[in-house]
Amino acid sequence: MLGDRVRPGVSDHPDFALVGVLRIPEIQTSPWISLSRRVAFAIALLFSAALVVYLGRDGYHDNSGDELSFLDAFYYATVSLSTTGYGDIAPVTAEARLANIVIITPLRILFLIVLVGTTLGVLTERSRQAFKIQRWRRSVRNHTVVVGYGTKGRTAIDAMIGDGVQASDIVVVDTDVVALEAAASAGLVTVHGSATQSDVLRLAGAQNAAAVVVATNRDDTAVLVTLTARELNKAAKIAVAIREAENTHLLRQSGADSVVVSSETAGRLLGISTTTPTVVEMMEDLLTPEQGFAVAEREVEASEIGGSPRHLSDIVLGVVRGGELIRVGEPEVDAIEAGDKLLYIRRVSK
């Protein structure tokens, strides 16, 4: 029966069929710069052809029987490269005809390609994108998939880039075409589709990702995306933003490593700002990696093993041991052990 057939997912489609769904960013060039380069290249081809003709002018014959000047050679190159060929100047010796075959003809082809370069560019754009998609899908590893390019998603990406993550290592998944255009303009790889579908996440390389950031507008969508992402990748770090704190346990059960309650966090900061606004200012400073202070994590040095994190020159907030955070002050971290990681405050130069 037709209803029993398994429909292929979008991730199983051939690369050329993914053009428009998966978009790989490329360096943007001003159209005027591109046009200027093509005009300059065309003029260079004309002069090259004219120089070849002028150097071999003894092998050419014109209707008046005069010796060819450089202007005559340039004229002949122009009508030859444009395939007009009036016949008033023609190669008569074997050497001149050989030069036309070996040099002038290839230059004519290049000249025509330059003239119709815009049309060819449009026609070949789909093929180029398909090739880039094929190459990207083969090589993408240990990247970050960001689901949702709204305010939360954009801010998360800005924070990652400010912390040293390359834009090429971030993939945005969204259903909003306008949002994806903005992400592509920022140099990010984009995937058009719903991240609640495993095929869309697989197309974004979630199965090989180091982290997945879920920044959707609905908590129920966030739960489904988290479940799907965790099913595809058991090892990736999954961070999720939700609106209601009562849904935190659902996200934890779905496989989220970190859950941020955006509404409550904003509410707490608003409440604190009414009495101690400098605390909010410091929190914003810690969350902005570009300047001031930032919360960071580093490996323990050999000389620090056995010592107390309180006696270090860095301001240590906690110790990550076995994947779990232990805050400074707990008896378990009175002595630093090999393999620990330190969560500390580092100063960022402006």
Side-chain angles (χ1 to χ4, degrees), residues 264-288:
E264 289 198 358
T265 301
R268 292 192 188 98
L269 291 177
L270 286 173
I272 294 173
S273 66
T274 60
T275 54
T276 52
T278 53
V279 174
V280 178
E281 184 178 349
M282 177 55 70
M283 292 299 296
E284 291 180 346
D285 190 352
L286 291 174
L287 294 174
T288 306

Side-chain angles (χ1 to χ4, degrees), residues 14-346:
D15 296 320
F16 67 85
L18 298 175
V19 177
V21 178
L22 175 60
R23 183 173 176 181
I24 312 297
E26 54 186 306
I27 300 175
Q28 299 295 324
T29 305
S30 167
W32 290 107
I33 294 177
S34 179
L35 180 61
S36 299
R37 288 175 179 172
R38 291 183 180 182
V39 171
F41 187 50
I43 293 174
L45 290 176
L46 278 174
F47 270 97
S48 299
L51 183 61
V52 170
V53 174
Y54 183 71
L55 292 177
R57 58 188 178 277
D58 293 339
Y60 289 81
H61 173 76
D62 67 351
N63 292 338
S64 61
D66 298 330
E67 183 179 349
L68 265 65
S69 65
F70 187 79
L71 179 61
D72 295 327
F74 194 81
Y75 163 75
Y76 174 77
T78 302
V79 297
S80 295
L81 293 186
S82 62
T83 69
T84 305
Y86 295 117
D88 50 351
I89 300 176
V92 293
T93 66
E95 292 80 4
R97 291 177 177 177
L98 181 62
N100 265 259
I101 295 173
V102 177
I103 301 176
I104 301 298
T105 299
L107 290 178
R108 180 186 299 117
I109 295 173
L110 283 176
F111 187 78
L112 292 175
I113 289 176
V114 171
L115 290 180
V116 298
T118 303
T119 304
L120 290 176
V122 173
L123 294 176
T124 59
E125 176 63 24
R126 191 174 185 88
S127 298
R128 291 196 306 110
Q129 277 290 325
F131 175 74
K132 291 173 65 177
I133 288 172
Q134 181 186 50
R135 184 174 57 184
W136 180 84
R137 295 183 70 185
R138 288 178 177 175
S139 62
V140 63
R141 294 290 187 280
N142 299 321
H143 56 296
T144 300
V145 177
V146 178
V147 179
Y149 198 68
T151 302
K152 292 179 289 187
R154 286 196 302 271
T155 305
I157 291 173
D158 290 341
M160 287 187 286
I161 293 177
D163 209 24
V165 178
Q166 298 296 319
S168 58
D169 291 331
I170 300 175
V171 181
V172 174
V173 181
D174 208 316
T175 56
D176 189 343
V177 176
V178 176
L180 292 178
E181 285 290 337
S185 299
L188 305 171
V189 177
T190 62
V191 175
H192 183 212
S194 173
T196 59
Q197 301 175 6
S198 60
D199 282 330
V200 173
L201 281 181
R202 192 177 289 110
L203 182 59
Q207 67 277 14
N208 299 317
V212 178
V213 176
V214 183
T216 58
N217 293 324
R218 294 170 54 98
D219 289 3
D220 54 350
T221 304
V223 171
L224 187 53
V225 171
T226 304
L227 279 169
T228 307
R230 181 55 73 199
E231 182 182 13
L232 291 175
N233 193 329
K234 304 298 182 184
K237 298 292 184 182
I238 300 180
V240 188
I242 58 175
R243 295 177 178 271
E244 303 297 335
E246 62 186 22
N247 295 322
T248 302
H249 72 286
L250 293 176
L251 271 302
R252 294 288 187 185
Q253 293 175 0
S254 301
D257 297 292
S258 302
V259 180
V260 178
V261 185
S262 57
S263 57
E264 289 198 358
T265 301
R268 292 192 188 98
L269 291 177
L270 286 173
I272 294 173
S273 66
T274 60
T275 54
T276 52
T278 53
V279 174
V280 178
E281 184 178 349
M282 177 55 70
M283 292 299 296
E284 291 180 346
D285 190 352
L286 291 174
L287 294 174
T288 306
E290 292 88 355
Q291 58 185 4
F293 295 97
V295 179
E297 184 181 275
R298 68 172 176 85
E299 301 285 345
V300 172
E301 298 178 2
S303 60
E304 297 171 340
I305 297 176
S308 172
R310 301 174 183 173
H311 299 156
L312 300 178
S313 57
D314 294 324
I315 301 175
V316 179
L317 302 176
V319 175
V320 180
R321 180 174 296 166
E324 295 186 2
L325 173 63
I326 306 174
R327 293 168 177 80
V328 170
E330 299 291 333
E332 295 92 335
V333 294
D334 284 342
I336 299 173
E337 299 178 1
D340 287 347
K341 294 182 180 180
L342 300 181
L343 196 68
Y344 71 106
I345 297 177
R346 65 179 174 91

